Amino acid sequence: MQINPGNDHRLKQLREAMRYSTKMLTPFQQRYVEIWQHYASVQHNEDNFERMLPVNMVRMAMDVWSRGLAAKSPQIMVNAQRAGLRPRAHELKLATNHLLDEIRFGKTLKTVVRSALAMFGVLKVGQTSAPFGESISIYHDEGQAFADNVLFGDW
């Protein structure tokens, strides 16, 4: 739906919808910050939690699960039934694995998995179409594939 900037009534409705959305997301944003504060705390009583834990269980759980879900950079496997297509399949495999390394897909995936374990994890993937296209404040070359973590505050 397009918003006509000259229509004050529609702009007022849009602003009201934005305020309502912000109000409804506030508890989740606060909880997200609390989880990351607890994850990052070294001394377990310095982050104002009521009880001291001998071990940071949030950090331990997130580290264990993230290693299980995204242990290393993913690699693809391409097989061809016909012998004549096997060299092309091998080239596709090498090119795609090179692209995944070039865009640091494995590192981004680990970040997204950790964010998802905390509360919210979204991976934005695509291909830029304009020169110096923008994807979450990181500039990519024209036509370059990208994979970026979407931050909770930007969603």
Side-chain angles (χ1 to χ4, degrees), residues 21-122:
S21 294
T22 301
K23 178 182 173 187
M24 297 308 289
L25 278 176
T26 300
F28 297 102
Q29 290 172 335
Q30 290 171 346
R31 182 66 182 140
Y32 189 72
V33 169
E34 287 174 10
I35 289 171
W36 283 111
Q37 284 175 341
H38 191 85
Y39 176 85
S41 68
V42 178
Q43 300 291 330
H44 305 294
N45 63 349
E46 75 183 17
D47 54 8
N48 295 326
F49 283 92
E50 283 75 31
R51 58 192 164 98
M52 260 183 79
L53 299 173
V55 176
N56 189 337
M57 299 301 278
V58 172
R59 177 182 282 270
M60 183 184 296
M62 286 177 68
D63 288 347
V64 167
W65 279 98
S66 64
R67 277 193 301 264
L69 294 170
K72 60 181 184 173
S73 184
Q75 301 289 304
I76 69 158
M77 181 174 66
V78 181
N79 292 322
Q81 297 286 332
R82 293 160 67 200
L85 295 177
R86 287 187 186 134
R88 295 283 183 207
H90 185 69
E91 287 176 17
L92 177 63
K93 177 180 120 176
L94 292 175
T96 306
N97 286 336
H98 175 73
L99 177 64
L100 291 174
D101 289 341
E102 187 176 313
I103 65 173
R104 295 185 298 252
F105 185 77
K107 183 178 178 183
T108 304
L109 186 62
K110 287 177 186 178
T111 303
V112 171
V113 165
R114 194 164 294 211
S115 294
L117 290 171
M119 180 182 293
F120 179 85
V122 173

Side-chain angles (χ1 to χ4, degrees), residues 141-152:
D141 295 333
E142 180 178 5
Q144 177 71 41
F146 65 87
D148 292 329
N149 181 29
V150 177
L151 301 175
F152 186 71

